[in-house]
Amino acid sequence: MSKNIPVFEQWPFRIPSFEREIEKSKAFTEALKNAATQEEALAVIKKKMKASDDFDNAVTLISVKFSLESNNPKYVKAMDVVNEKYPLLQNEELAFSKALLESKFRPYLEEKLGSLLFKMHENSLKSFDERVIEESIEENKLTMQYGALIASCEVEFRGEKYNLPQMGKFMEDPDRKTREEASKAYYSYMDSKVAELEDIYDKLVKVRDRMAKKLGFENYVPLGYLRMSRFDYTKEDVKGYRDAIAQYVTPLAGKLLKQQFKRTGIRNPEIYDLALAFKDGNPTPKGTTAEKIETAKGMYDQMSPETSYFFRFMADHHVLDLEARAGKQSGGYMTYFPKYGIPFIFSNFNGTSGDVDVLTHEFGHSFQAYMSRAIKIPEYRQPTSESCEIHSMSMEFFAHPYMDRFFDNPERYRFVHLSDSISFLPYGVSVDEFQEWVYEHPEATPEERDAEWIALEEKYLPHKRACYKGCKYMAEGHRWLTQAHIFESPFYYIDYTLAQVMAFEFFNLDRKNHALAWKRYLNLCKMGGKYPFRTLVSKAHMKDPFQEGVIKKTIAPLPKVLAGYNID
């Protein structure tokens, strides 16, 4: 990793010429078709990969700048250009994919580049062509509209205005009156946005359904799987996995919530009581954002030489934008700049333990990118979504021993983090099943979609729904409206749950044999995306979450771990 990379603020911002990129793509396609030798064909492909890295770098910077300042006309205009013209380039890229797949040198190229790359290009041809350019442009505009709407949300609370992430600290305040007022302010505001949000989603569902049918699919579900690059598991595999979560995790999540209300002394819990883990307040990290970054440096110094160097490198290059502010999009992410070989972490700190979760979760993503940076084939540097999330969620648990640096009572953080991670699984699979239902019923009304969400909460989260009676927004089935993945990245959510199970596997192993767990984790990170999910899991010598009995066996030790924490 070069030390000559300038700090983030100095990176040159430009809107690339899509017309020029389309011409370059055409030239690469012709060069591949006309290659006289297998070596010449391989050289063309490598040159194309280098050009793609440069272009992707420019587009990624536009996306990041827009997420940081979604109300800045300069970045809005740049994103409009990307959303309007990217599908045109994507269509031209299909010609290159076709030339690669039909090359007379394919056996040699497949030997040199790996068969997975060819499967990826086959997927590209199945999941996109010129027939759906119009729909792709519309989809991009609608997701951008959703992101901008959520980023612009401002909740008035006690004489001040806060964006959605900033309300989090008030909604888990130890004072019940504060939580109640904050909850009412938040959900009343969101209730005023329901019609607008559901209209955006209705349009997204219909445009995706049209896209699927134009490409010859019965509905969007199989197309969604293709677009998520799911090579080695099916809709049926996912159903069996969701059923296992309902059987083995939902009852445990209900038990944990009941214990939580007993700890906090709340007899008639409401929506605003769900986030309070302890009567005297949730574990809150010490220090300002700058101080938390310094604390994280110390943690990663102690964790390993690799984490030490890399976290300091990120901090020194200002690729950590962590604080919530007006105009900034909500949520958190990691993205990668191939030209510089460096990731970027985006988040919205709000003074809760979630700040520490970000410093571990998103750093886990970044660390994988760092460990596989030497992979020359761009498509292999980053794995598919469910595999990506293993690195991030497992890093959260590898950080557990260092929580005394962030918290006065680190045992409480460890307890809440593990408890919340278990309780997340039923919610995660409900999001996935909801999306499957939606795209199998594209003509459903907003009211019918909300009713299906309620039914899924009754199936997977009955312990929480019992607390929604006093909150119109939640009681009427609107929780999903602020789950950005449902709008922006359809079917990206089961991935988190699969990775969470894998993270529990690493956690269980780490408590028995840290050296072996860390060795396997590093090996997984280094493999990047050279293999699909189930193959990566196998090569990392871990258990496949889709296999019968794995969920039950992985979850079984966790209640005992929770009981062993000193949280008094």
Side-chain angles (χ1 to χ4, degrees):
M1 183 171 281
S2 172
K3 294 183 178 181
N4 299 321
I5 301 169
V7 295
F8 176 73
E9 294 83 359
Q10 294 175 4
W11 293 359
F13 181 87
R14 68 183 179 91
I15 303 175
S17 168
F18 280 82
E19 292 76 17
R20 191 178 303 125
E21 291 300 321
I22 288 171
E23 289 306 311
K24 284 165 64 176
S25 182
K26 287 179 179 177
F28 282 123
T29 300
E30 289 305 308
L32 181 58
K33 285 180 179 178
N34 297 328
T37 66
Q38 57 189 23
E39 290 81 9
E40 187 181 336
L42 182 61
V44 170
I45 294 166
K46 288 182 175 179
K47 192 173 180 181
K48 169 82 164 59
M49 289 175 176
K50 174 65 170 62
S52 295
D53 273 351
D54 291 342
F55 174 75
D56 289 344
N57 205 84
V59 172
T60 300
L61 187 57
I62 290 172
S63 176
V64 169
K65 291 285 190 179
F66 174 72
S67 68
L68 295 173
E69 299 179 56
S70 62
N71 52 1
N72 186 319
K74 176 182 176 180
Y75 303 137
V76 171
K77 179 183 177 182
M79 274 305 298
D80 282 339
V81 172
V82 172
N83 289 333
E84 187 80 32
K85 296 188 176 181
Y86 207 101
L88 301 174
L89 174 61
Q90 190 180 359
N91 183 58
E92 187 56 48
E93 293 283 282
L94 296 179
F96 186 84
S97 294
K98 191 174 181 183
L100 177 66
L101 295 171
E102 294 177 352
S103 172
K104 60 186 176 183
F105 305 120
R106 178 166 173 173
Y108 170 80
L109 296 174
E110 203 159 337
E111 179 187 342
K112 291 293 184 181
L113 302 170
S115 60
L116 182 59
L117 182 67
F118 288 79
K119 289 180 182 177
M120 290 177 175
H121 282 277
E122 286 169 358
N123 258 18
S124 297
L125 292 173
K126 291 176 185 175
S127 60
F128 185 86
D129 67 32
E130 67 276 359
R131 289 173 292 173
V132 296
I133 290 176
E134 184 180 334
E135 284 79 9
S136 295
I137 292 171
E138 185 179 348
E139 181 187 30
N140 288 341
K141 288 180 177 178
L142 287 166
T143 56
M144 183 177 168
Q145 184 181 342
Y146 171 79
L149 174 59
I150 294 295
S152 70
C153 288
E154 288 189 321
V155 181
E156 287 194 26
F157 178 65
R158 293 182 173 175
E160 301 288 341
K161 288 186 177 181
Y162 301 92
N163 64 18
L164 300 186
Q166 289 171 328
M167 288 298 294
K169 62 183 176 182
F170 302 116
M171 294 170 76
E172 59 177 64
D173 194 279
D175 178 57
R176 197 173 192 223
K177 186 67 176 173
T178 298
R179 294 198 309 276
E180 180 181 8
E181 286 182 28
S183 177
K184 286 182 177 178
Y186 180 95
Y187 290 116
S188 294
Y189 179 85
M190 290 311 303
D191 210 39
S192 72
K193 300 293 180 181
V194 165
E196 193 173 354
L197 289 168
E198 292 205 332
D199 180 62
I200 293 172
Y201 191 61
D202 193 63
K203 290 173 180 174
L204 277 168
V205 170
K206 287 179 171 55
V207 77
R208 287 169 180 153
D209 185 62
R210 286 201 310 274
M211 192 183 298
K213 286 170 178 169
K214 280 189 177 183
L215 292 171
F217 298 98
E218 180 183 2
N219 55 52
Y220 183 77
V221 177
L223 176 58
Y225 269 56
L226 278 177
R227 292 175 79 181
M228 288 299 296
S229 297
R230 291 178 178 168
F231 296 106
D232 54 0
Y233 60 94
T234 65
K235 173 185 165 184
E236 288 67 37
D237 292 325
V238 171
K239 183 184 183 306
Y241 168 80
R242 290 193 308 242
D243 289 345
I245 297 295
Q247 182 177 356
Y248 298 112
V249 187
T250 290
L252 175 57
K255 184 179 179 182
L256 292 175
L257 187 61
K258 190 177 292 185
Q259 292 172 352
Q260 176 183 321
F261 291 142
K262 186 176 180 181
R263 273 197 316 276
T264 55
I266 296 170
R267 295 187 178 182
N268 297 299
E270 299 283 350
I271 181 75
Y272 46 83
D273 296 315
L274 288 171
L276 186 70
F278 299 98
K279 186 181 291 188
D280 56 348
N282 292 355
T284 303
K286 298 176 282 189
T288 63
T289 296
E291 288 168 339
K292 287 169 190 165
I293 291 173
E294 288 302 310
T295 302
K297 285 179 183 177
M299 173 176 70
Y300 289 120
D301 284 346
Q302 193 174 346
M303 189 178 289
S304 77
E306 297 92 344
T307 53
S308 173
Y309 169 77
F310 180 58
F311 188 83
R312 287 178 174 275
F313 186 90
M314 291 193 74
D316 290 346
H317 286 79
H318 303 180
V319 287
L320 304 163
D321 193 296
L322 304 175
E323 291 193 310
R325 57 181 177 270
K328 186 177 178 181
Q329 290 189 333
S330 62
Y333 66 74
M334 182 284 292
T335 192
Y336 184 73
F337 288 91
K339 179 179 177 180
Y340 304 124
I342 189 169
F344 183 94
I345 291 178
F346 170 102
S347 185
N348 285 273
F349 276 17
N350 60 6
T352 69
S353 61
D355 297 352
V356 176
D357 296 340
V358 167
L359 284 170
T360 55
H361 181 100
E362 299 301 344
F363 179 74
H365 283 307
S366 300
F367 186 65
Q368 176 270 310
Y370 166 65
M371 293 301 291
S372 56
R373 67 197 182 283
I375 295 174
K376 300 297 183 186
I377 300 172
E379 292 88 344
Y380 288 171
R381 287 192 205 117
Q382 183 171 310
T384 48
S385 302
E386 68 289 280
S387 302
C388 278
E389 298 300 341
I390 302 173
H391 314 114
S392 55
M393 290 179 153
S394 298
M395 180 60 81
E396 293 176 30
F397 286 106
F398 280 118
H400 266 210
Y402 310 99
M403 287 301 109
D404 57 315
R405 295 171 174 270
F406 291 96
F407 297 93
D408 290 326
N409 190 335
E411 287 282 86
R412 283 193 170 189
Y413 171 82
R414 295 179 188 117
F415 177 90
V416 172
H417 178 251
L418 178 56
S419 179
D420 285 352
S421 297
I422 295 168
S423 299
F424 164 74
L425 290 175
Y427 172 74
V429 296
S430 68
V431 170
D432 182 73
E433 190 166 335
F434 175 70
Q435 294 188 87
E436 185 177 291
W437 184 91
V438 163
Y439 290 111
E440 287 180 344
H441 301 82
E443 298 305 320
T445 64
E447 292 76 19
E448 288 169 333
R449 283 195 287 267
D450 293 338
E452 178 61 19
W453 178 261
I454 290 171
L456 290 170
E457 284 191 321
E458 293 287 3
K459 176 180 177 180
Y460 293 108
L461 305 156
H463 45 286
K464 287 194 172 183
R465 271 213 68 81
C467 303
Y468 295 168
K469 54 189 179 294
C471 178
K472 179 175 177 287
Y473 179 85
M474 297 291 276
E476 292 182 354
H478 296 142
R479 164 66 183 90
W480 62 273
L481 290 171
T482 51
Q483 189 58 66
H485 304 73
I486 293 176
F487 286 76
E488 298 171 344
S489 307
F491 287 102
Y492 190 161
Y493 218 70
I494 198 75
D495 314 75
Y496 288 108
T497 72
L498 290 165
Q500 187 68 78
V501 173
M502 294 301 306
F504 288 149
E505 287 189 36
F506 273 112
F507 180 58
N508 290 335
L509 178 60
D510 191 44
R511 294 193 327 278
K512 297 176 183 176
N513 187 333
H514 171 72
L516 180 60
W518 186 249
K519 180 181 177 181
R520 289 183 178 179
Y521 178 75
L522 287 182
N523 183 44
L524 180 68
C525 289
K526 288 175 184 176
M527 284 190 281
K530 289 181 179 179
Y531 310 99
F533 172 68
R534 300 180 86 170
T535 307
L536 275 174
V537 170
S538 174
K539 286 186 174 293
H541 304 290
M542 305 299 280
K543 294 182 178 64
D544 183 345
F546 288 115
Q547 288 184 343
E548 189 173 352
V550 169
I551 300 296
K552 181 180 180 182
K553 187 175 180 180
T554 303
I555 295 296
L558 302 181
K560 189 174 180 181
V561 176
L562 286 170
Y565 286 128
N566 179 16
I567 57 176
D568 295 329

